[in-house]
């Protein structure tokens, strides 16, 4: 059971629009308690037009120590950070922010770590695989970097926003690791297929890939947490694919977040 907060409880918020789908508050708050840290994570729904005002107020709240960032605020929140990890700088996006000693924010982007961690927890090592990623937004860009760093043989990225997709491809190819190119919604020939878009959160959404072209041997992962089994994952399971849901990804995230937010991971 999570202890009742008191005036001494340190506050953390998860900010997004929408916010009802997030799973973090209960799990992170419980993990804080298990580790003996008097802290609580609460959801805050903030529209894009209001984010600047929210961050201005947040910076002045003396008992607010950290912010978890979800859609669609990850790029804007990176801009609000005075310092950041190398991967956040590379991607120019952040999904975690913690208070620095001078009151400003230090950011990191760990969506890719959680996504690849969920694959490994299901017995899948991306090294040497041909990977298809759908979505080049905040989470997608982090997953792309994590897949390249995990040693995929090739990465194809599909996104309807071609300018954003191509900018990400250029940055990743600049690392000199796996070749990265533009992809399509056709997953044929890929060993690892990742959905990093909201497709499936609302009834009637199109599937992110042409599932009839999936190989039963392909691994399929998804970032969506609500519904817990997205239509894409349900279709992949019917074919016999090994899968991981957004909730599986979140479970990998939880420990990372609880390390980072109070500053117990050794960072600034």
């Amino acid at each position: 059971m999570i202890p009742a907060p008191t005036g001494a409880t340190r506050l953390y918020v998860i900010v997004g629009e929408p916010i009802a789908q997030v799973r973090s508050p209960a799990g992170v708050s419980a993990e804080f308690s298990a580790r003996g840290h008097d802290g609580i994570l609460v959801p805050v729904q903030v529209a894009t037009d209001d984010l600047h005002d929210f961050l201005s107020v947040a910076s002045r709240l003396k008992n607010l120590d950290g912010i978890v960032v979800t859609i669609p605020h990850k790029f804007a929140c990176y801009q609000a950070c005075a310092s950041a990890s190398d991967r956040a700088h590379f991607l120019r996006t952040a999904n975690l922010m913690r208070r620095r000693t001078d009151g400003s924010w230090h950011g990191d982007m760990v969506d890719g770590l959680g996504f690849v961690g969920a694959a490994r927890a299901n017995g899948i090592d991306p090294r040497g695989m041909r990977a298809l990623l759908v979505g080049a937004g905040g989470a997608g860009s982090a997953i792309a970097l994590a897949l390249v760093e995990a040693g995929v043989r090739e990465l194809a990225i599909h996104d309807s926003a071609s300018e954003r997709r191509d900018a990400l491809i250029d940055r990743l190819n600049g690392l000199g690791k796996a070749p990265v190119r533009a992809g399509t919604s056709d997953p044929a020939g890929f060993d690892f297929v990742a959905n990093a878009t909201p497709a499936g959160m609302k009834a009637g959404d199109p599937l992110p890939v042409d599932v009839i072209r999936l190989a039963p041997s392909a691994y399929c992962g998804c970032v969506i947490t609500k519904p817990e089994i997205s239509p894409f994952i349900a279709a992949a399971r019917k074919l016999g694919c090994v899968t991981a849901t957004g909730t599986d990804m979140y479970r990998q995230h939880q420990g990372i977040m609880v390390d980072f937010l109070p500053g117990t991971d050794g960072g600034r």
Side-chain angles (χ1 to χ4, degrees):
M1 182 179 292
I2 302 169
T6 69
T9 299
R10 305 310 297 176
L11 180 63
Y12 304 85
V13 299
I14 178 166
V15 59
E17 169 76 349
I19 202 66
Q21 78 282 359
V22 299
R23 303 294 181 91
S24 310
V28 169
S29 298
E31 186 63 20
F32 279 150
S33 178
R35 297 190 187 191
H37 178 62
D38 186 7
I40 187 169
L41 178 69
V42 297
V44 179
Q45 185 166 341
V46 178
T48 301
D49 289 345
D50 297 325
L51 182 65
H52 176 79
D53 290 341
F54 166 77
L55 290 172
S56 178
V57 171
S59 295
R60 299 195 293 272
L61 299 179
K62 302 302 183 183
N63 63 338
L64 177 65
D65 288 348
I67 302 173
V68 180
V69 187
T70 187
I71 55 171
H73 301 318
K74 295 175 184 180
F75 289 101
C77 282
Y78 166 74
Q79 297 295 330
C81 293
S83 62
S85 68
D86 289 345
R87 59 180 160 252
H89 280 315
F90 179 83
L91 297 164
R92 297 191 285 276
T93 182
N95 74 327
L96 295 177
M97 301 164 65
R98 69 159 173 255
R99 184 82 69 178
R100 291 167 28 128
T101 55
D102 65 1
S104 62
W105 299 105
H106 176 72
D108 201 354
M109 183 56 179
V110 302
D111 279 342
L113 302 183
F115 196 91
V116 171
R120 288 176 171 149
N122 281 277
I124 302 298
D125 183 353
R127 183 172 297 279
M129 288 187 167
R130 296 186 69 234
L132 171 65
L133 168 67
V134 182
S141 60
I143 291 166
L145 177 61
L147 288 172
V148 168
E149 292 185 332
V152 294
R153 176 160 53 97
E154 176 191 1
L155 174 63
I157 301 175
H158 174 56
D159 194 298
S160 57
S162 58
E163 185 175 339
R164 178 173 68 179
R165 176 203 65 199
D166 292 346
L168 176 60
I169 288 170
D170 287 345
R171 292 203 307 277
L172 292 169
N173 279 325
L175 295 174
K177 296 185 178 181
V180 184
R181 61 174 176 84
T184 71
S185 60
D186 183 356
F190 291 97
D191 312 300
F192 191 112
V193 181
N195 174 44
T197 76
M201 287 181 66
K202 293 185 287 188
D205 280 349
L207 292 172
V209 299
D210 184 358
V211 294
I212 64 172
R213 301 275 289 166
L214 278 170
S217 58
Y219 168 80
C220 295
C222 189
V223 300
I224 292 172
T225 57
K226 190 174 183 180
E228 184 163 348
I229 309 300
S230 71
F232 167 56
I233 292 299
R237 287 181 176 179
K238 285 182 181 178
L239 291 173
C241 299
V242 176
T243 66
T245 67
T247 299
D248 294 326
M249 175 181 168
Y250 162 69
R251 292 191 184 105
Q252 298 297 315
H253 269 155
Q254 182 171 294
I256 299 170
M257 288 190 287
V258 174
D259 282 342
F260 178 90
L261 291 168
T264 56
D265 62 345
R268 275 177 280 196

